Amino acid sequence: MDSFEVAGRRQEKVEILAIKGYLDAHTAPSLENALQELVTAEKYQIVINFKDLAYISSAGLGVIMGFIENVRDHGGDIKLCEMNAKIYRVFDLLGFPKIYDITDKEAEAVKKFNS
């Protein structure tokens, strides 16, 4: 089984989840748990950094989709950043750029919460 890691940190009032490895049906619960912890703690300004993500399956996409409505209902958002071309292509094919802010750099995603 391929590995997957989620590392959380905070920058100002924005929660950043850096994801690494393979996000599939076996590893998606790790991201789901991390997002659920933020929502339970009422932290609704979230950036997911894809810089070190090598693969994402529909299960991973589903986790991200599963939280967006709740987060936005509380005045927050989930912004996505630093995707490689392969990962971005999956998101683009599914129309995610119309639903999510996707930025090239993490700093840009964080800044969008502060503007």
Side-chain angles (χ1 to χ4, degrees):
M1 183 165 85
D2 295 306
S3 67
F4 176 75
E5 296 175 27
V6 179
R9 60 188 156 84
R10 174 175 247 201
Q11 183 174 334
E12 298 175 25
K13 57 185 178 181
V14 178
E15 302 297 327
I16 299 167
L17 297 177
I19 56 178
K20 179 180 181 180
Y22 288 76
L23 181 56
D24 59 19
H26 297 288
T27 60
S30 294
L31 179 59
E32 185 173 17
N33 290 340
L35 285 167
Q36 186 61 56
E37 285 179 19
L38 294 177
V39 168
T40 300
E42 299 181 352
K43 296 176 179 176
Y44 300 111
Q45 295 186 347
I46 302 166
V47 170
I48 301 177
N49 186 326
F50 288 74
K51 182 179 177 185
D52 294 317
L53 191 72
Y55 171 81
I56 188 166
S57 73
S58 59
L61 295 166
V63 168
I64 296 167
M65 284 298 295
F67 282 91
I68 192 64
E69 188 173 324
N70 185 13
V71 167
R72 287 183 176 161
D73 284 349
H74 288 87
D77 199 7
I78 299 173
K79 300 186 185 305
L80 313 176
C81 66
E82 301 202 23
M83 293 179 183
N84 66 39
K86 187 172 102 180
I87 299 289
Y88 182 80
R89 188 171 50 235
V90 172
F91 277 81
D92 191 36
L93 285 171
L94 296 172
F96 274 46
K98 294 178 182 173
I99 302 169
Y100 292 92
D101 269 341
I102 301 175
T103 63
D104 289 337
K105 298 293 180 190
E106 181 182 292
E108 185 181 349
V110 171
K111 186 176 179 180
K112 286 189 171 207
F113 281 114
N114 297 322
S115 58

